[in-house]
């Protein structure tokens, strides 16, 4: 044994020496030829040296150092375009050496990484409560805002819990169960509601009519079926929008039911989130007609903005004489067999049935008898108390469930959780949760849990993904991912001043051109566009290069695309409008990457580097001068390109601006609110440029073509990384290179299908497995 140990020890230096020999003979010559001019032999541009180290062995183990080399060479950022470039074989040799020797990656056994236990974010909590209990609880109004990491609010490391969070969760649990099982729920009057978007003008069955201009007489109608005749309380909920400042404009709003007016009000400037107008109406069983009528009164004063009524919904409750009752939705979801029986033993069995069903869905896995028993005991103790009911006991037990860490946190059971060398498959319940929170932002449904119980979810993964993407709940994934990746969430609230951008003295006119409804249209365009490419298995690069989009009449007019009628978005061919098409020419992207009064080539360039190419630039160093300082003192108006050329002459600015300016200036034909233009300050806009990787383009169509084709691999890699980050809840690590490369190859073998990328992520090691830590 001693002889064997001495032999192994004697061989160790030989192994280390062999590594060093490979580096010196095969890798260092490549670095000397292409890198040392700037990063060796005493030069350290960007404070990065490749030959200053004390110990070669430690240098070869320096992951952070080689990660920077690997990323820059992979994306062709280094060497710079004017320098000699590595040929394909040299690049492959360098990349393979870094991945194998430094990163120690094993393509056959990818490291899945470790995900921090995390609480539900606000949207996940909202949808989980809605799916479990049929209750809408506005988490964005009641909970603190979620932190984000790597651009997303699904990241475990930032979804911590504070004392304030816990206090809010306890308060929310009580309010939610009270909404689901209100006092006397079994004998409640029925309620019905018609959403604002269901209202129509006469003869316009397909166009929603929930925005009514004060200046124009309008009558809009909707129909609603109710279960019983009698007197009903009818309430119109609406808001006044349009004018940011007080205005003299007013209008008369009337609420009619079945041809009879039940109330009216003179409406003026009001910034309330919700205003109500109520009345009582005799309604018939079956279909009833609701009308909202608006009559103009006082016009706006000089220079004042115009206003609109926004119909949010019309709610109905009745019959008020108590002649008919029904179970509310939440009651039916909880009390699955109706009211509790009188026999105490049967009541306890019923409580057990309710809790077992509800809690297993809320906790996302089967429960032990002890937990169910304690909850049933809690419920029955209340049920047997004076002046308390069976429902009161169920509500108390449910409150405990909703305040439990097993509901609030997404935790995954793992043997040896502290062993960073232990990699295990997720159990099928954890997989069901990952799948449902990824595609639905909510808890698994009964079908997923049933397959997990039978240990058949993995066998049926693809059919389940297809089912989930077809389900209406998949819009949550589109809203949440696109809302953060493309910042579509921000377009409605971006601090844009259309008055300055358009150069119109009439603020009201400027705000009508770039209205709140137009911002909503832009957001919907981006969401429908992504959803179409996803659901139809279209190539992911069409996100950049598509010659179509989803427009309605208002947005098409703003984009100067003729022939689109109606308020509803529809697929529009943009072949004859090459300046449009793809996310980079949509109002959403163009608005959120602009400054309040002007375009920002820097923001637009940075966005593309970070979210399309996956090569983010470092933040600006302290003391970097503002762009406006460049134009100070110039007598003649300067174009954006002219200011940028002067700005990047400063040594502190030059290196980063070489990467982002060509991209940002290539989009300069679009102003800060997304309108296409050919001139700026009376001068023709020059949108031609050359990427740092060497590709040249003449206009935005050429730029899109480069990003979607010549830089397709970069885009595939970036999109894969963004989706993987969102799906797994952790930031990208160097060892994810194996998974990302596999996803890129998966895309290439499936014609770039965005749907196949989603499937590939779900089938990947980081999604299917976890490592201890």
């Amino acid at each position: 044994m001693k002889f064997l140990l001495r032999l192994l020890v004697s061989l160790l230096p030989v192994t280390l020496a062999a590594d060093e020999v490979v580096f010196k003979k095969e890798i260092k010559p490549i670095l000397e030829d292409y890198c040392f001019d700037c990063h060796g032999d005493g030069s350290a541009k960007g404070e990065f040296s490749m030959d200053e180290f004390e110990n070669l062995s430690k240098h070869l183990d320096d992951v952070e150092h080689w990660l920077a080399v690997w990323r820059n060479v992979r994306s062709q950022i280094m060497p710079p375009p004017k320098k000699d470039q590595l040929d394909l074989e040299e690049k492959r040799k360098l990349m393979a050496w870094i991945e194998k020797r430094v990163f120690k990656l094993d393509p056959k056994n990818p490291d899945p990484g470790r995900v921090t236990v995390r609480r539900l974010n606000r949207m996940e909590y909202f949808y989980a409560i809605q799916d479990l209990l049929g209750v809408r609880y506005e988490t964005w109004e009641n909970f603190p805002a979620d932190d984000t990491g790597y651009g997303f609010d699904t990241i475990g490391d930032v979804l911590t819990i504070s004392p304030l969070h816990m206090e809010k969760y306890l308060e929310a649990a009580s309010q939610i169960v009270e909404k689901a099982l209100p006092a006397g729920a079994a004998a409640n009057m029925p309620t019905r509601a018609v959403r604002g978007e269901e209202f129509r003008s006469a003869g316009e069955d397909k166009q929603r009519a929930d925005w009514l201009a004060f200046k124009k007489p309008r009558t809009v109608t909707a129909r609603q079926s109710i279960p019983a005749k009698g007197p009903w309380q009818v309430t119109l909920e609406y808001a006044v929008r349009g004018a940011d400042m007080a205005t003299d404009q007013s209008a008369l709003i009337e609420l009619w039911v079945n041809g009879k007016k039940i109330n009216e009000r003179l409406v003026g400037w009001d910034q309330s989130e919700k205003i109500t107008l109520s009345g009582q109406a005799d309604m018939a069983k079956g279909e009833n007609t609701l009308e909202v009528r608006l009559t103009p009164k006082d016009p706006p004063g000089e220079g004042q903005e115009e206003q609109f009524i926004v119909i949010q919904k019309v709610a109905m409750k009745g019959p008020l004489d108590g002649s008919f009752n029904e179970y509310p939705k939440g009651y039916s979801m909880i009390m699955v067999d109706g009211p509790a029986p009188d026999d105490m033993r049967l009541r306890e069995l019923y409580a057990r049935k309710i809790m077992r069903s509800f809690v297993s869905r809320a906790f996302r896995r089967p429960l032990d008898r002890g937990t169910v028993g304690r909850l049933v005991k809690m419920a029955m103790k209340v049920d047997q108390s004076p002046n308390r009911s069976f429902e009161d006991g169920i509500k108390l037990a449910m409150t405990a469930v909703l305040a439990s860490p097993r509901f609030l946190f997404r935790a995954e059971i793992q043997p040896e959780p502290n062993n960073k060398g232990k990699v295990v498959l997720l159990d099928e319940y954890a997989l069901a949760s990952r799948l449902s929170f990824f595609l639905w932002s909510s808890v698994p449904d009964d079908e997923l849990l049933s397959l997990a119980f039978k240990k058949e979810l993995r066998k049926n993964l693809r059919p389940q993904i297809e089912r989930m993407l077809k389900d209406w709940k998949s819009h949550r994934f589109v809203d949440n991912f696109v809302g953060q990746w493309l910042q579509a969430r921000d377009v409605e609230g971006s601090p844009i001043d259309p008055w300055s951008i358009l150069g119109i003295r009439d603020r009201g006119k400027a705000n009508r051109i770039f209205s709140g409804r137009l911002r909503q249209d832009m957001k919907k365009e981006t969401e429908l566009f992504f959803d179409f490419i996803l659901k139809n298995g279209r190539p992911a690069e069409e996100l950049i290069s598509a010659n179509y989009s989803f427009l309605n009449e208002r947005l098409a007019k703003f984009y100067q695309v003729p022939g689109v009628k109606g308020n509803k978005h529809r697929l529009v061919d943009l072949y004859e409008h090459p300046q449009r098409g793809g996310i980079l020419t949509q109002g959403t992207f163009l608005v959120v990457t602009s400054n309040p009064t002007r375009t920002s080539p820097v923001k637009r360039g940075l966005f593309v580097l970070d979210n399309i190419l996956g090569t983010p630039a470092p933040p600006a160093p302290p003391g970097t001068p503002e762009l406006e300082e460049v134009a100070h003192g110039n007598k003649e108006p300067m174009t954006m390109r002219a200011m940028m050329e002067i700005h990047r002459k400063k040594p502190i600015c030059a290196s980063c601006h070489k990467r982002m300016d060509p991209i940002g200036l290539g989009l300069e034909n679009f102003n800060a609110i997304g309108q296409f233009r050919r001139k700026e300050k009376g001068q023709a806009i020059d949108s031609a440029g050359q990427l740092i990787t060497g590709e040249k383009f003449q206009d935005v169509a050429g730029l899109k073509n480069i990003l979607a084709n010549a830089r397709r691999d970069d885009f595939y890699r970036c999109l894969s990384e963004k989706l993987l980050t969102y799906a797994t809840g952790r930031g990208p690590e160097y060892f994810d290179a194996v998974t990302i490369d596999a996803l890129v190859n998966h895309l290439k073998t499936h014609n770039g299908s965005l749907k196949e990328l989603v499937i590939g992520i779900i089938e990947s090691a980081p999604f299917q497995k976890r490592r201890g830590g």
Side-chain angles (χ1 to χ4, degrees), residues 333-407:
M333 291 178 72
I334 297 166
M335 308 290 289
V336 290
D337 294 334
D342 294 330
D343 180 82
M344 192 57 64
R345 175 59 184 160
L346 294 177
R347 289 166 82 89
E348 183 175 338
L349 290 173
Y350 189 26
R352 185 174 295 277
K353 178 179 180 179
I354 291 170
M355 296 316 299
R356 189 165 53 239
S357 171
F358 172 72
V359 181
S360 63
R361 291 171 59 223
F363 289 175
R364 286 88 75 182
R365 61 178 56 247
L367 290 178
D368 57 282
R369 290 185 178 180
T371 300
V372 175
R374 287 190 294 273
L375 289 167
V376 170
K377 186 177 180 180
M378 182 188 301
M380 296 310 297
K381 186 175 181 180
V382 173
D383 183 27
Q384 295 167 24
S385 301
N387 302 316
R388 304 298 292 274
S389 67
F390 180 83
E391 288 82 358
D392 290 332
I394 294 297
K395 285 194 288 187
L396 181 64
M398 284 187 165
T399 301
V401 171
L402 296 182
S404 167
R406 284 192 275 181
F407 171 69

Side-chain angles (χ1 to χ4, degrees), residues 660-671:
M660 55 196 175
D661 285 5
I663 298 171
L665 291 171
L667 295 160
E668 191 61 16
N669 279 116
F670 298 97
N671 69 10

Side-chain angles (χ1 to χ4, degrees), residues 78-278:
M78 293 292 169
K82 293 182 181 180
K83 298 283 186 178
D84 292 337
Q85 300 295 306
L86 287 76
D87 63 36
L88 186 60
E89 187 57 38
E90 290 171 321
K91 182 177 179 179
R92 284 177 176 168
K93 179 183 287 188
L94 177 59
M95 301 296 283
W97 177 83
I98 294 174
E99 291 172 5
K100 185 176 182 180
R101 168 57 184 83
V102 183
F103 297 168
K104 298 177 174 60
L105 303 183
D106 182 358
K108 294 182 179 179
N109 296 289
D111 186 340
R114 177 179 175 273
V115 181
T116 305
V117 172
R118 60 200 187 276
R119 62 171 171 81
L120 304 184
N121 64 33
R122 292 194 299 186
M123 294 312 300
E124 290 168 343
Y125 188 101
F126 171 80
Y127 288 127
I129 293 300
Q130 186 180 76
D131 292 347
L132 286 168
L133 298 170
V135 169
R136 283 180 58 89
Y137 185 78
E138 285 76 11
T139 52
W140 47 91
E141 293 181 3
N142 295 289
F143 293 165
D146 294 316
D147 289 328
T148 60
Y150 305 97
F152 298 105
D153 61 10
T154 57
I155 305 302
D157 287 342
V158 301
L159 288 173
T160 55
I161 192 164
S162 65
L164 176 61
H165 268 114
M166 200 63 241
E167 184 180 320
K168 293 291 185 181
Y169 284 139
L170 291 169
E171 183 180 325
S174 298
Q175 293 176 1
I176 288 164
V177 296
E178 196 58 47
K179 276 189 172 187
L181 283 177
N188 264 6
M189 293 179 188
T191 60
R192 297 292 186 270
V194 177
R195 296 170 299 169
E197 55 262 35
E198 296 179 59
F199 278 83
R200 299 289 183 267
S201 297
E204 296 182 357
D205 292 338
K206 294 183 179 180
Q207 294 186 25
R208 55 191 282 182
D210 50 335
W211 280 64
L212 312 179
F214 273 37
K215 67 179 181 181
K216 181 181 179 181
R218 289 284 299 279
T219 297
V220 296
T221 64
R223 291 175 176 80
Q224 175 63 48
S225 181
I226 62 169
K229 70 175 184 178
W232 284 64
Q233 184 75 14
V234 182
T235 302
L236 166 66
E237 296 181 7
Y238 66 96
V240 177
R241 293 291 179 262
D244 292 328
M245 305 294 290
T247 172
D248 297 327
Q249 191 176 27
S250 64
L252 180 70
I253 188 170
E254 301 172 336
L255 179 59
W256 293 62
V257 177
N258 294 329
K260 294 182 179 180
K261 182 167 64 176
I262 64 171
N263 206 345
E264 67 178 28
R265 176 181 295 161
L266 187 66
V267 182
W269 187 76
D270 193 323
Q271 294 298 290
S272 303
E273 287 298 314
K274 181 175 72 176
I275 312 170
T276 60
L277 179 66
S278 297

